[in-house]
């Protein structure tokens, strides 16, 4: 579709009550960026726990300042004025420090190239994950409008963040989850 030229920093936010775990967002993301349908090459990560019915997309939160950018010893990650974090492949050594620095578990290394996979909002186009989500669980919003999963520094960051959001949702629905 059209380009988002607004000077405002945007990011994808999740409505966990709408996510059904179909993984379309992961598949379309990998296809747009890598040319193959593969959940391991996606820049969005669906955390699933079938025991409790958890399906939660984890995506870059466009932190400012971004710990992943600060942690890179080779300046291979840069954050533009639009808030988007981009990888400079020729500078990246695949050390993984950016993965460890992300509080939300939103970055992982490509299994084949050992380079960071981080959401770039489809580089100005309408993000494919938002466009293809059949339940509208993903939306693009101005950065300051939403702030979920603060202080997410834990061992399995993405899962813990998703679980906390899931528990909050269940609590709002009157269901207690341990």
């Amino acid at each position: 579709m059209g380009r988002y030229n607004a000077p405002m920093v945007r990011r994808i936010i999740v409505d966990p009550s709408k996510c059904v775990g179909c993984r379309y967002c992961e598949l379309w993301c990998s296809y747009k960026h890598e040319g193959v349908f593969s959940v391991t090459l996606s820049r969005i990560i669906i955390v699933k726990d079938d025991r409790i019915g958890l399906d939660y997309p984890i995506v870059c939160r466009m932190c400012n300042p971004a710990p992943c950018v600060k942690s890179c010893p080779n300046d291979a990650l840069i954050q533009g004025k639009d808030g988007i974090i981009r990888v400079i492949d020729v500078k990246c050594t695949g050390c993984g420090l950016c993965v460890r620095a992300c509080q939300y578990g939103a970055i992982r290394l490509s299994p084949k190239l050992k380079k960071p996979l981080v959401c770039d909002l489809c580089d100005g186009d309408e993000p494919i994950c938002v466009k293809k989500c059949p339940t509208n669980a993903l939306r693009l919003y101005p950065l300051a409008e939403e702030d979920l999963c603060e202080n997410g520094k834990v061992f399995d960051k993405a899962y813990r963040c998703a679980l906390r959001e899931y528990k909050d949702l269940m609590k709002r629905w009157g269901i207690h989850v341990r």
Side-chain angles (χ1 to χ4, degrees):
M1 282 254 181
R3 293 202 165 270
Y4 289 101
N5 292 323
M8 189 176 308
V9 176
R10 297 172 169 256
R11 76 163 181 223
I12 296 169
I13 66 161
V14 176
D15 182 345
S17 68
K18 293 182 178 179
C19 182
V20 296
C22 67
R23 297 189 181 258
Y24 277 15
C25 57
E26 286 179 316
L27 294 171
W28 281 105
C29 176
S30 69
Y31 185 76
K32 173 143 180 126
H33 288 89
E34 307 296 330
V36 295
F37 290 107
S38 170
V39 296
T40 61
L41 296 174
S42 175
R43 280 124 179 98
I44 188 168
I45 302 161
I46 301 298
V47 174
K48 294 182 72 68
D49 188 331
D50 292 330
R51 293 173 297 140
I52 61 172
L54 169 68
D55 297 304
Y56 193 88
I58 300 292
V59 68
C60 180
R61 301 182 51 77
M62 311 294 171
C63 302
N64 189 10
C68 59
V69 173
K70 285 185 167 191
S71 72
C72 183
N74 301 309
D75 297 323
L77 294 176
I78 57 169
Q79 187 170 29
K81 291 180 182 178
D82 55 4
I84 296 172
I85 297 165
R86 292 174 177 85
V87 180
I88 303 171
D89 286 335
V90 296
K91 290 185 174 185
C92 182
T93 62
C95 68
L97 290 175
C98 57
V99 175
R100 289 190 286 280
C102 178
Q103 318 181 46
Y104 303 104
I107 302 176
R108 60 178 155 187
L109 292 180
S110 165
K112 59 182 181 180
L113 301 176
K114 302 298 184 219
K115 304 290 183 197
L117 298 174
V118 60
C119 178
D120 62 2
L121 294 179
C122 292
D123 216 11
D125 290 333
E126 181 180 3
I128 194 78
C129 60
V130 173
K131 187 177 179 180
K132 295 289 187 176
C133 180
T135 62
N136 295 316
L138 304 172
R139 288 193 235 153
L140 196 60
Y141 278 103
L143 182 61
E145 197 166 310
E146 190 74 32
D147 198 352
L148 302 173
C149 290
E150 288 185 22
N151 301 319
K153 292 182 180 180
V154 292
F155 174 68
D156 190 1
K157 297 176 270 191
Y159 178 79
R160 304 277 176 144
C161 178
L163 186 60
R164 188 170 44 255
E165 291 301 316
Y166 173 78
K167 285 180 178 180
D168 287 347
L169 175 66
M170 293 295 107
K171 187 176 180 183
R172 289 193 304 267
W173 286 351
I175 300 169
H176 179 70
V177 176
R178 285 185 178 209

